[in-house]
Amino acid sequence: MNLKTVLILLVLALATIFALVCVLLTRGVKPASCEPQPLSSQGGKHSDQSLVFADLTPEEMGQVVRYLQRSLGVPLVDAYNANPSDNCIYYIDVQIPTKAEVLGFLDRGGRRPPRQALAVVYFGNQPDPNVTEYVVGPLPKPTTHQDITVQKYGGKLPYHRRPVLGKEYEQIETFLRKKALSTAPTFLHQVFNYDGTSFVSLTSAPRGFQSGDRSTWFALFHNVSGYFLHPVGLEVLVDHSSLDVSHWRVRKVFYNGQYYGDLVQLESEFKQGRVKVAPVTRAPPDGGFSSMQPRAAPRAPFPLQYEPHGPRYSVRNNQVVSQAWSFAFGVNVNTGMRLFDIRFKGERIVYEISVQDATSVYGSNCPGGMSTRYMDGSFGIGRLTYSLVQGVDCPYSATYVDTHYLVETDTPEKHKNSICIFEQNTGSPLRRHYSNLQSLYYGGLTNSALVLRSIATLGNYDYVWDFIFYQNGAIEAKVQATGYMTSSFLYGDGLDYGNRVGDHTLGTVHTHSINYKVDLDVGGVNNTLVAHDMAFESVQAPWSPEHQIQRPRLTKAVLDTEDKAAFRLHSNMPRYIYFAANSENKWGHQRGYRIQIISFTGEHLPEASLMERAISWGRYKLAVTKRKEEEPTSSSIYNQNDPWTPTVAFADFIDNETIVNEDLVAWITTGFLHIPHAEDIPNTVTVGNGVSIFLRPYNYYDIDPSIHSPDGVFFSREQDSSACEVNHIACLSKSASCLPILPPFTYDGFQNLTRL
Ligand SMILES: [Cu+2]
């Protein structure tokens, strides 16, 4: 055996040993220290009391449907198949009991409030078509229903305000294909090589200029993957206001900058050679530049997080509990995430924080684009919350929870794994100090935060909704936008309305505005709003009066009325605004929680606009009002299709009531301007497209509560920082040296969908 052979054998032997070790490790042979510890040793406890906030179960939804079918005394069609002239159940959601009832139950040993549902019914098959809202209860076996429409909205809900059903969109699509486009065969064939199926349409909204209108511009796109980026330049205004589908009409047609009465006229003028044509080559089925197919093969896996001893939080029913935090969560069909009874170390800080609406106002020189003011709550931020992909949408090992909805069908729909919960190590310190003066030591705390997330897909784009709970008692509500932009056909002065991002594609300028309801209860239900800021004062130096000092000084004010507590977007807002309790901390300061807003909003819509009142929450970056059961939301699903007579006009909430020592609610608007650019292709990225609000303790405690976190680290020069007893991080190489046992990848997000 020569030296070369010996070396080869040695290498082979080493490789075999290495492979064996790898196999053992990947098969899950691991030190015992990797086993999850029981949660009882981690802190908080679950309570079934939080079920008072729970979303309806599929069984409860079924009970309500059957009760309504039995009890309404009119024929009900399954909304999935309903014509505008039918009666149908639009949606069913939980009716959260009043705050007084809930607090009586949670805090004062009162009875459990009866469980009730809210059922929204379209009555198209009546002499006076309308939408009616019922409270149905008690669950699980309902015996009564009460019409609350007039009490809730101050009047009946005219039928024209109703959100458009999937069935109605389908009927419009059929109308476009069979009745409208079929009248321009030469034009469509010669310009687009249209084959009867190669277009898809995208709705705009609102749908007209005045109450009662239901005329929608539908922009046509090539039917390929990522079609939002493939406008063909043809848009059709469909009047679908009649409850009789056969009476629907085309009111206007737009093509490449020119307007026509209908497609018949467009066809005729085309044949006479009077139409300025801009042919668009059809993209490949994968969309070409709009395809989301990765352009590179995967290489080494991306970094993963794992929990060496298993999760340090627990999810049971609708409640999350961690060492320091607990809260109840749910999803409103329309508005999306809602959290209740948020407690830090057992003390309630927030009664409710919930998304209220998300709007986008577009500019364009095409009619669909220029008239689009989407109010996403009307399309259903909650119901459009779909299955999350482990490892991309949330950490691979997050806890995933299903949600159920009953919307536009009599059968509950399950969205599997559509909420995720995880504890995230941000990889940076929450606080730290290295001391090199006087004595040598280090103290620090890893910034590990508990996160609740869902992602809603509203047509073209996706909103990532996060609620983040930090170890210092702070809460962050964060929203990030991603997904496809929507686009207009590029012609003429299009570049005044956005950037060109494709051969014929204009990325159109638009706003994103989001409104949150934050019902803080700081040290009790009744709070006062206080502002602190800083102003410079000029003073003579006491020791040298001939010299001036520009000295920052605190300014303090109690904002005692709703008007003083409503801050317009462009007004100066004190930099520190907080909800103050009736109690003081050890240092004699009112205990408080501060509201801090990270936002880049601009004007939401000029107030001269006849539809501005429908989104008048957008006037204010922050408005604090006295909490009222009659003012549960800042927006309404009925505002989208009749913004000219808004069903809920937030501006009316601000009527200068006194808000000293009252139960207060903060309505917070955040958002940003989006001028789509080349790098929004194929998708808008979350980086830089996120905004958030923070709720942070302000003299609420006597000291930063994170000092009590068991994650803290401290060692001095005199100590052996590599010793486990001194520094628990030094144990990691032993206690966390195992491989995480990852569950297999699964995805059920394409099942159970009732309609695309
Ligand atoms: Cu955008």
Side-chain angles (χ1 to χ4, degrees), residues 99-175:
K99 186 171 178 180
E101 282 180 287
V102 171
L103 293 187
F105 170 61
L106 295 183
D107 297 350
R108 294 188 287 279
R111 70 177 186 122
R112 180 181 283 271
R115 194 152 161 78
Q116 296 177 310
L118 175 73
V120 175
V121 182
Y122 285 9
F123 286 107
N125 185 8
Q126 285 202 351
D128 176 24
N130 68 90
V131 181
T132 301
E133 298 202 349
Y134 296 104
V135 168
V136 180
L139 297 173
K141 291 211 167 16
T143 52
T144 59
H145 61 284
Q146 187 200 347
D147 179 349
I148 58 158
T149 319
V150 174
Q151 172 201 334
K152 188 169 171 183
Y153 299 111
K156 293 190 84 170
L157 289 168
Y159 198 49
H160 65 257
R161 291 188 194 169
R162 74 195 186 281
V164 176
L165 295 179
K167 175 71 178 180
E168 191 175 345
Y169 282 123
E170 233 172 60
Q171 289 170 317
I172 293 167
E173 194 83 37
T174 307
F175 169 82

Side-chain angles (χ1 to χ4, degrees), residues 410-698:
D410 289 348
T411 319
E413 192 173 283
K414 177 175 175 174
H415 291 193
K416 204 163 160 39
N417 298 346
S418 49
I419 293 178
C420 70
I421 298 127
F422 53 94
E423 193 186 359
Q424 181 168 43
N425 183 338
T426 62
S428 61
L430 182 71
R431 53 181 170 76
R432 61 93 73 185
H433 179 63
Y434 167 81
S435 169
N436 61 354
L437 298 170
Q438 192 247 337
S439 62
L440 291 172
Y441 61 83
Y442 172 86
L445 175 65
T446 219
N447 187 5
S448 200
L450 183 66
V451 184
L452 175 83
R453 173 178 297 160
S454 72
I455 306 183
T457 299
L458 289 136
N460 53 302
Y461 53 84
D462 303 62
Y463 279 126
V464 183
W465 305 99
D466 281 2
F467 295 87
I468 309 168
F469 301 86
Y470 295 96
Q471 297 197 63
N472 68 329
I475 303 167
E476 181 182 3
K478 181 176 180 183
V479 54
Q480 302 170 90
T482 176
Y484 282 103
M485 68 164 94
T486 179
S487 67
S488 281
F489 187 75
L490 178 65
Y491 80 94
D493 61 356
L495 295 181
D496 289 345
Y497 305 95
N499 287 308
R500 181 180 185 178
V501 294
D503 283 341
H504 302 280
T505 311
L506 178 71
T508 43
V509 62
H510 60 274
T511 59
H512 290 277
S513 303
I514 294 98
N515 191 244
Y516 288 94
K517 175 183 183 180
V518 183
D519 180 356
L520 278 155
D521 282 357
V522 179
V525 170
N526 288 349
N527 296 138
T528 299
L529 193 68
V530 181
H532 284 183
D533 206 331
M534 180 277 274
F536 283 103
E537 62 179 3
S538 286
V539 290
Q540 294 175 323
W543 64 95
S544 181
E546 67 276 22
H547 292 106
Q548 293 269 313
I549 291 180
Q550 308 303 321
R551 180 168 63 177
R553 176 191 180 94
L554 286 192
T555 60
K556 303 178 183 183
V558 171
L559 305 172
D560 55 1
T561 62
E562 287 182 340
D563 285 14
K564 284 186 200 160
F567 293 95
R568 295 270 180 163
L569 285 177
H570 299 295
S571 67
N572 274 335
M573 188 167 94
R575 284 168 285 188
Y576 279 57
I577 286 201
Y578 64 97
F579 274 46
N582 284 321
S583 50
E584 294 175 348
N585 74 356
K586 185 176 169 186
W587 315 112
H589 292 295
Q590 269 187 304
R591 301 170 71 206
Y593 251 78
R594 177 185 168 202
I595 296 170
Q596 191 177 15
I597 308 169
I598 315 293
S599 177
F600 310 98
T601 43
E603 194 177 17
H604 63 304
L605 206 58
E607 283 180 43
S609 161
L610 295 178
M611 64 180 80
E612 187 274 339
R613 275 170 51 76
I615 52 171
S616 49
W617 49 262
R619 292 180 194 175
Y620 309 97
K621 47 190 164 190
L622 169 70
V624 176
T625 62
K626 193 168 149 180
R627 187 189 188 282
K628 291 177 184 163
E629 290 295 338
E630 313 87 78
E631 294 174 352
T633 57
S634 62
S635 188
S636 159
I637 57 168
Y638 309 110
N639 282 14
Q640 175 74 85
N641 291 335
D642 188 357
W644 310 282
T645 312
T647 301
V648 172
F650 174 76
D652 295 344
F653 291 10
I654 299 163
D655 46 8
N656 217 20
E657 284 187 76
T658 302
I659 54 168
V660 175
N661 196 26
E662 296 281 356
D663 189 3
L664 304 181
V665 174
W667 308 87
I668 301 171
T669 300
T670 180
F672 59 95
L673 175 69
H674 191 182
I675 306 176
H677 48 89
E679 296 81 4
D680 281 296
I681 307 297
N683 287 165
T684 294
V685 295
T686 55
V687 176
N689 287 317
V691 286
S692 63
I693 56 181
F694 283 94
L695 309 173
R696 301 171 51 186
Y698 184 69

